[in-house]
Amino acid sequence: ILNVEQSPQSLHVQEGDSTNFTCSFPSSNFYALHWYRWETAKSPEALFVMTLNGDEKKKGRISATLNTKEGYSYLYIKGSQPEDSATYLCASNSGNTGKLIFGQGTTLQVKP
Amino acid sequence: DTGVSQDPRHKITKRGQNVTFRCDPISEHNRLYWYRQTLGQGPEFLTYFQNEAQLEKSRLLSDRFSAERPKGSFSTLEIQRTEQGDSAMYLCASSSASGGTDTQYFGPGTRLTVL
């Protein structure tokens, strides 16, 4: 069974703060790690797909790193803005099927 | 590219009724996935299709659930004899190829409430 865990479960920060979340996943049979942002009443939005150990990806103020040997990924947000408020989900798949196993998410609230 | 659409967005039904949801994927995508999300949890895999073939179905999915993708385009998810435990957000996603590294694009979901 593939277990994906995220921490913290929720986070409240002030506008301008930088923050990071953790996603841990079983390192055996690893294939890919996906990050999504899900705002209320919208579709989950794909942020990154990461496959290589040591990979680092960036999209604006958001970046992510991947360690497949120890089974974790970090998502960083630099200078949080109120519009970053959302639930951030990570998901892993252990094969080429595309079937994603999601963590429970980290809900971020950024106060102006 | 109009994105993945789902219909209806909300459904309220009484216990024991049957419900059907529809998903229209991005037009050139040949893979289509269904997930279910309950409060405080991440989305949970239900089933997926490669074109019209249903390739995998979660063991957690009871026989009351059935999904189809008859012409390899839109898909329907039917729940028979709904139970209160079926209340959840049902998400559909599609991807363009068969690899596990491909981005899955999600629709806005159908929120089901079973009274």
Side-chain angles (χ1 to χ4, degrees), chain B residues 5-6 10-11 14-15 18 22 34-35 37 39 42-43 56 58 61 64 68 73 81-82 95 100 102 104 109 113-114:
Chain B
S5 61
Q6 292 187 244
H10 302 273
K11 179 71 178 178
K14 292 182 179 176
R15 190 175 52 188
N18 299 344
R22 177 178 170 125
W34 285 99
Y35 295 88
Q37 190 246 354
L39 200 61
E56 188 173 346
S58 169
L61 211 58
R64 296 184 297 105
E68 292 184 341
S73 56
R81 304 180 303 282
T82 52
S95 67
D102 297 307
Q104 293 183 25
T113 302
V114 181

Side-chain angles (χ1 to χ4, degrees), chain A residues 27-81:
Chain A
S27 53
S28 59
N29 298 320
F30 171 82
Y31 201 83
L33 193 282
H34 302 243
W35 280 102
Y36 285 86
R37 174 171 60 199
W38 194 2
E39 294 178 67
T40 303
K42 294 187 178 178
S43 306
E45 174 197 356
L47 292 174
F48 307 113
V49 181
M50 308 175 79
T51 57
L52 300 175
N53 185 46
D55 204 5
E56 203 168 319
K57 295 212 172 181
K58 191 174 178 181
K59 184 177 182 178
R61 293 178 292 98
I62 304 176
S63 60
T65 61
L66 181 66
N67 183 321
T68 60
K69 293 183 179 178
E70 295 182 40
Y72 64 83
S73 175
Y74 293 136
L75 188 81
Y76 301 92
I77 303 178
K78 186 177 176 182
S80 303
Q81 300 296 308

Side-chain angles (χ1 to χ4, degrees), chain B:
Chain B
D1 178 1
T2 57
V4 178
S5 61
Q6 292 187 244
D7 183 67
R9 294 289 304 273
H10 302 273
K11 179 71 178 178
I12 299 174
T13 192
K14 292 182 179 176
R15 190 175 52 188
Q17 298 294 304
N18 299 344
V19 293
T20 300
F21 310 141
R22 177 178 170 125
C23 171
D24 286 88
I26 294 171
S27 58
E28 64 271 20
H29 285 184
N30 55 23
R31 280 219 170 174
L32 187 147
Y33 304 84
W34 285 99
Y35 295 88
R36 174 175 65 189
Q37 190 246 354
T38 54
L39 200 61
Q41 303 297 316
E44 171 193 34
F45 170 80
L46 294 179
T47 188
Y48 84 94
F49 294 83
Q50 171 94 15
N51 299 312
E52 64 274 10
Q54 187 173 17
L55 297 188
E56 188 173 346
K57 188 174 173 180
S58 169
R59 285 171 292 176
L60 301 173
L61 211 58
S62 81
D63 291 342
R64 296 184 297 105
F65 287 71
S66 62
E68 292 184 341
R69 195 183 183 197
K71 296 181 180 178
S73 56
F74 72 91
S75 175
T76 57
L77 177 69
E78 182 184 15
I79 309 174
Q80 295 183 326
R81 304 180 303 282
T82 52
E83 301 173 357
Q84 288 184 324
D86 298 331
S87 296
M89 174 75 84
Y90 290 83
L91 291 163
C92 174
S94 68
S95 67
S96 60
S98 57
T101 60
D102 297 307
T103 296
Q104 293 183 25
Y105 295 88
F106 281 82
T110 294
R111 181 166 294 285
L112 173 66
T113 302
V114 181
L115 302 176

Side-chain angles (χ1 to χ4, degrees), chain A residues 2 9-10 24 26 30 34-35 41-42 45 50 56 59 67 78 81 83 86-87 89 96 98 100 102 106 109:
Chain A
L2 192 64
Q9 192 170 353
S10 64
S24 63
F30 171 82
H34 302 243
W35 280 102
K42 294 187 178 178
E45 174 197 356
M50 308 175 79
E56 203 168 319
K59 184 177 182 178
N67 183 321
K78 186 177 176 182
Q81 300 296 308
E83 58 264 31
T87 295
L89 293 163
N96 201 24
L100 295 180
F102 282 86
T106 293
Q109 191 157 7

